[in-house]
Amino acid sequence: MSERSLGMPTRARWLLAVLPLGLVVGLVWFYLATDPLEPLGASAPPVEELTVERSVIDDRGFHLHVRADGSEPMRIAQVQVDGAYWEFDLEPAGALARLESAWVHIPYPWVEGETHLVSLVTGSGLIFEHEIPVAIATPTFTLSRLLAFALLGLYVGVVPVSLGLLFYPYLKTLGARGLQFLLALTIGLLAFLLVDTLQEGLELAAAAAAAFQAQAVVWLAAALTFLGLLVAGRRSGQPRGAALAYFLALGIGLHNLGEGLAIGAAFAVGEVALGSFLVIGFTLHNITEGIGIAAPLTQRRSAFWTFVGLAALAGLPAVLGTWFGAFAYAPQWAALFLGIGAGAILQVIVEVAAYLSSLASQDERAGNWWSFTNLAGVATGIVVMYLTAFLVSV
Amino acid sequence: MANTKAGKKEDGSAPTGGVPTMSADNGRRALLRNGLLGGAAFLVSQITRPFVEAYAQAPELDRPGHEHVEAHGGMTTVGTVDHARNGFDPSVILTDWDTGRSGETSDGKRLREFTLTAIDKEIEIAPGLFFPAWTYNGRVPGPTIRVTEGDRVRIHFVNGGSHPHTIHFHGIHSAEMDGVPNFGRGMINPGEGFTYEFDAFPFGSHLYHCHAIPLKRHIHKGLYGSFIVDPDPALHPEHKEAAMSRLLGAPENDRWQELVMVMNGFDTNFDDENEVYAANTIAHAYMKRPIHIERDRPVRIYLSNMVEFDLVNSFHLHANFFDYYDHGTTLTPTHRTIDTVMQCQAQRGILEFSFEGFEPGQYMFHAHQSEFAELGWMSLFEVVA
């Protein structure tokens, strides 16, 4: 068949594609026109879903950005705040079609620092609850806040990575075994970050409207990013040296974007009760990242600007993350970014492992990648990340 | 409640620690206490100070200025209920007595005949909020049946609904006429009917409701109503005047402003808690259309509690006090000069009070469970001179 069609004139080949397409259209029309489900008595009530994507609190009350996610248009009939029916405004007014969004404005005299519960009551009496864990005014977009969040991003991203990179001169003094240990440690820390990023991404995805299938998006984004970076990285052979360090910095940077996102969003909803303690935690946590990034560079000389570039690539995304988290938060987008981050980290794990493996095969004494040094390195990386993560629980 | 929840935060910080500066202090203290990284903490807190301050000061400007919020008008349902579509109006239900068709039994008694039909019907219980109700005659509460002590009452029940139902009348009658499963005629299946018959006794403010199982669902779906038995003055010579004032149609009764209120609630999302509370079904109905009261005529309310899932309900009158007749089965008050009364499920009573000499204006009455009041059981009298 295929051999024969190859010889066919172009018009006839088109027909071969159009014919099945036409059949598909016909099938859909037939399904809709005849309602084959009717004999099943399928008059099930419409499934209603409502997701609160973002909440803004200001001196006029609460403002919730909601997205409908059901089989039929749904109507927010009433709003309860803390178990009392309350005045509200819908913008735009009226029913919400599938995946349509609206703002619910509720003039409510909220109490700073206390918990409030908003219940959105639909026309059929279903209730979708949104908890405001600690009511504080949502940071509005001002220059001073923008700078404050940028500063926070620098403290949790750029500063610790740079501190980690400062170990570089010491790392250079390590022998071959030391370098292997270090690379293994990098793999350990990346393994921790991979799990952490995926977990965060999936958690956020669960908070997004179901129709977005955000959890699948996290996995797919991770897989595609992984493959994309792997292919890009291997175009000129297996990355090593500065190239590998840059990939490391990119993967870690995407993870730090997620960290920044979490911090910004937590500040925006008043959930951060750790203050500067949080910053210490992130700093310690992320110093290890800097050491990891420096590891592939120890075998050759590197320019100062390389380090600046690496610190910026790994650390600056945290700044973007805090801005995004504080001022323009939406769970499905955050989940997508974290999926991308996870894919990037996986790519670096593979590349660092490949590098480590090639180093190990050159090492006559070790001769094997499966050494206790490497095992100890991976374990140390994971344990250090785990322990410092105690200091950071947003 | 709020504090308990906030207290469960994973970080274990005090629930009041929403403001970053305070929590930063807590965090710092904990850190020093642990003797860990004390110096680093100090260093970093010095570095982060501009950030923390910039952030902590900012909410100061945004702190909820309550003058911006219409706090008093804020607590309400939004919109209006289409009473015409519902087929009943809570303002009409207040005084809509159903005295039935009058006749005479073979032994010379006065006969009152009624027809009650169970109908499945979606009703709007708050603006835009629809409840798939089961009703007697298409309304919730069902018709207010009003007869006189000693009357022969004959109720033709037709089950036009989709489930087996009954009618159980509160009162004194035979087991066969009790309207419960397995006794007498028992459950009446869809499409079938049955006639309940008994003498109206004792006088008082009573109820009727479906007693089919599962009981909770059959009741809270809307199958209930008031059943008022006026005293026969001839039988109560010692309190003739009080009895005359309660007897519908007597001149002594004419000067009273009589109202019937069934306190009820609706669980719209099947969590065994009510999302709407009301007197006569519609949330905030008498808030949006206050009940008109002539100042110089006394008021009598036949009050009953048909709320499910909550143990008790209550009625609180603002700026005034009332006399209360528990179950309405006495002609002298069982409580005098109270402003709040509590009723268990299916308990009822008669309230008597007057706004005579009061300043005209709006007077509140509501459940004195704040929760119920805030979920719809909040009302107004509009007293006019």
Side-chain angles (χ1 to χ4, degrees):
Chain A
M1 173 72 189
S2 63
E3 276 166 27
R4 252 184 295 157
S5 60
L6 277 176
M8 284 175 104
T10 319
R11 192 146 41 105
R13 282 181 58 210
W14 268 107
L15 206 63
L16 288 179
V18 168
L19 196 69
L21 272 178
L23 285 175
V24 168
V25 171
L27 186 72
V28 171
W29 173 83
F30 181 77
Y31 183 90
L32 293 176
T34 59
D35 192 7
L37 292 185
E38 211 217 320
L40 301 177
S43 61
V47 179
E48 293 183 329
E49 279 298 335
L50 196 68
T51 307
V52 177
E53 289 185 345
R54 180 165 159 73
S55 68
V56 172
I57 308 175
D58 63 17
D59 59 353
R60 285 166 297 137
F62 301 133
H63 311 271
L64 304 184
H65 189 250
V66 300
R67 194 177 292 277
D69 184 14
S71 52
E72 307 258 315
M74 67 185 303
R75 193 176 287 276
I76 295 174
Q78 298 297 334
V79 169
Q80 295 175 7
V81 185
D82 299 333
Y85 283 107
W86 210 267
E87 220 169 43
F88 69 97
D89 252 329
L90 262 186
E91 184 193 337
L96 288 173
R98 182 174 151 85
L99 287 183
E100 226 175 354
S101 65
W103 279 97
V104 187
H105 302 290
I106 310 164
Y108 191 76
W110 49 278
V111 182
E112 184 166 276
E114 294 195 355
T115 300
H116 292 286
L117 185 69
V118 179
S119 306
L120 304 162
V121 186
T122 73
S124 63
L126 281 188
I127 290 190
F128 295 93
E129 291 187 340
H130 176 74
E131 192 193 61
I132 290 158
V134 185
I136 71 165
T138 307
T140 47
F141 192 85
T142 63
L143 191 63
S144 73
R145 288 219 186 96
L146 197 70
L147 290 175
F149 275 108
L151 206 55
L152 184 68
L154 291 179
Y155 287 143
V156 301
V158 177
V159 168
V161 170
S162 306
L163 288 176
L165 288 172
L166 285 179
F167 281 91
Y168 178 70
Y170 169 74
L171 300 182
K172 283 205 79 148
T173 67
L174 297 174
R177 301 298 289 273
L179 178 61
Q180 284 184 37
F181 176 83
L182 206 60
L183 288 169
L185 180 134
T186 304
I187 291 175
L189 89 91
L190 288 170
F192 181 92
L193 293 186
L194 177 65
V195 171
D196 192 49
T197 307
L198 276 177
Q199 208 168 303
E200 283 277 331
L202 292 174
E203 250 171 56
L204 285 171
F212 287 130
Q213 301 178 66
Q215 288 179 322
V217 168
V218 171
W219 292 109
L220 294 174
L224 288 175
T225 308
F226 168 69
L227 291 173
L229 287 176
L230 201 65
V231 169
R234 295 259 171 162
R235 270 193 315 182
S236 46
Q238 187 181 320
R240 36 176 73 213
L244 184 54
Y246 270 114
F247 276 114
L248 261 163
L250 176 68
I252 286 171
L254 284 168
H255 171 78
N256 285 344
L257 177 82
E259 272 181 7
L261 209 65
I263 297 170
F267 264 102
V269 300
E271 262 189 331
V272 175
L274 293 165
S276 49
F277 199 59
L278 181 85
V279 179
I280 298 164
F282 269 117
T283 304
L284 285 178
H285 195 59
N286 293 355
I287 282 173
T288 327
E289 293 172 357
I291 298 175
I293 293 170
L297 297 174
T298 52
Q299 284 195 321
R300 61 203 73 198
R301 299 180 65 83
S302 298
F304 173 72
W305 288 108
T306 305
F307 291 98
V308 174
L310 290 171
L313 187 57
L316 281 181
V319 175
L320 292 177
T322 52
W323 286 344
F324 188 45
F327 300 122
Y329 187 75
Q332 63 270 25
W333 292 111
L336 173 68
F337 279 120
L338 288 168
I340 292 172
I345 291 165
L346 186 61
Q347 179 252 351
V348 194
I349 290 178
V350 168
E351 293 301 9
V352 172
Y355 181 49
L356 176 60
S357 154
S358 66
L359 276 186
S361 62
Q362 291 161 17
D363 181 354
E364 281 159 17
R365 277 176 306 156
N368 184 359
W369 185 143
W370 300 105
S371 65
F372 276 106
T373 315
N374 292 352
L375 178 64
V378 171
T380 308
I382 291 176
V383 169
V384 166
M385 291 305 277
Y386 179 75
L387 290 180
T388 52
F390 271 129
L391 297 172
V392 195
S393 41
V394 177
Chain B
M1 172 82 168
N3 280 344
T4 333
K5 270 194 183 163
K8 280 193 222 142
K9 291 268 148 273
E10 299 91 321
D11 58 59
S13 64
T16 47
V19 185
T21 30
M22 287 184 62
S23 344
D25 283 346
N26 291 343
R28 215 176 295 150
R29 233 179 284 127
L31 196 71
L32 291 169
R33 199 172 47 239
N34 294 339
L36 259 175
L37 308 161
F42 176 75
L43 207 69
V44 177
S45 65
Q46 290 307 301
I47 298 170
T48 54
R49 180 176 285 171
F51 162 73
V52 172
E53 280 174 0
Y55 187 80
Q57 275 166 11
E60 200 93 44
L61 306 168
D62 295 346
R63 207 147 278 165
H66 289 209
E67 66 275 9
H68 297 303
V69 176
E70 298 293 324
H72 298 290
M75 197 206 76
T76 180
T77 44
V78 175
T80 50
V81 168
D82 188 342
H83 302 297
R85 180 175 50 198
N86 269 351
F88 63 90
D89 184 332
S91 297
V92 176
I93 279 181
L94 283 171
T95 54
D96 186 14
W97 322 112
D98 188 347
T99 53
R101 300 179 295 279
S102 260
E104 203 167 284
T105 61
S106 49
D107 52 352
K109 267 189 182 171
R110 186 162 58 178
L111 177 70
R112 303 275 209 186
E113 279 190 273
F114 301 85
T115 302
L116 290 185
T117 307
I119 301 167
D120 295 359
K121 185 174 178 179
E122 191 173 69
I123 58 173
E124 192 179 2
I125 54 175
L129 175 51
F130 292 88
F131 182 79
W134 296 341
T135 71
Y136 289 122
N137 292 5
R139 43 173 273 179
V140 181
T144 303
I145 292 177
R146 189 158 180 180
V147 299
T148 306
E149 187 180 12
D151 285 352
R152 188 73 175 164
V153 182
R154 191 174 285 163
I155 313 278
H156 303 288
F157 175 51
V158 180
N159 187 353
S162 56
H163 287 253
H165 297 303
T166 73
I167 309 180
H168 162 70
F169 278 86
H170 285 226
I172 295 173
H173 48 244
S174 67
E176 223 153 297
M177 292 296 157
D178 202 36
V180 295
N182 305 326
F183 297 94
R185 179 68 161 70
M187 306 262 251
I188 316 299
N189 287 318
E192 295 179 358
F194 181 67
T195 298
Y196 297 95
E197 192 170 332
F198 46 82
D199 289 338
F201 188 75
F203 73 84
S205 177
H206 303 313
L207 285 169
Y208 63 90
H209 60 86
C210 179
H211 213 298
I213 49 172
L215 195 53
K216 210 158 52 200
R217 179 148 300 185
H218 278 257
I219 292 178
H220 101 262
K221 281 281 235 179
L223 290 167
Y224 47 78
S226 291
F227 171 44
I228 298 170
V229 180
D230 291 340
D232 178 355
L235 298 175
H236 309 283
E238 72 283 21
H239 298 297
K240 191 154 190 241
E241 201 181 325
M244 289 299 285
S245 85
R246 287 222 203 141
L247 181 64
L248 188 67
E252 291 85 344
N253 175 261
D254 254 6
R255 56 183 288 267
W256 285 81
Q257 304 175 82
E258 291 191 320
L259 307 166
V260 65
M261 291 184 199
V262 178
M263 302 189 286
N264 52 358
F266 297 92
D267 171 18
T268 62
N269 62 347
F270 312 105
D271 62 351
D272 285 4
E273 280 184 40
N274 296 307
E275 277 64 49
V276 165
Y277 291 89
N280 295 339
T281 302
I282 311 294
H284 295 132
Y286 306 129
M287 209 56 198
K288 295 182 179 184
R289 277 191 296 167
I291 299 171
H292 193 92
I293 295 288
E294 290 172 44
R295 185 180 66 177
D296 298 325
R297 291 172 61 199
V299 183
R300 176 180 292 131
I301 298 175
Y302 296 92
L303 181 74
S304 48
N305 176 24
M306 284 309 290
V307 77
E308 275 301 337
F309 312 117
D310 297 289
L311 299 179
V312 295
N313 206 327
S314 62
F315 182 107
H316 166 57
L317 180 61
H318 277 218
N320 206 341
F321 280 74
F322 54 84
D323 284 348
Y324 185 70
Y325 303 75
D326 191 15
H327 286 70
T329 45
T330 58
L331 292 169
T332 52
T334 49
H335 285 87
R336 286 179 197 276
T337 325
I338 57 175
D339 69 358
T340 307
V341 70
M342 182 169 84
Q343 288 186 343
C344 183
Q345 287 184 351
Q347 201 174 344
R348 60 275 172 192
I350 296 174
L351 286 70
E352 289 182 356
F353 55 96
S354 168
F355 283 101
E356 199 173 341
F358 278 58
E359 195 182 319
Q362 295 190 330
Y363 293 86
M364 271 190 171
F365 64 99
H366 57 85
H368 217 300
Q369 283 100 321
S370 313
E371 180 197 355
F372 298 3
E374 295 193 322
L375 289 175
W377 183 177
M378 169 67 96
S379 306
L380 289 172
F381 288 123
E382 173 86 53
V383 175
V384 292

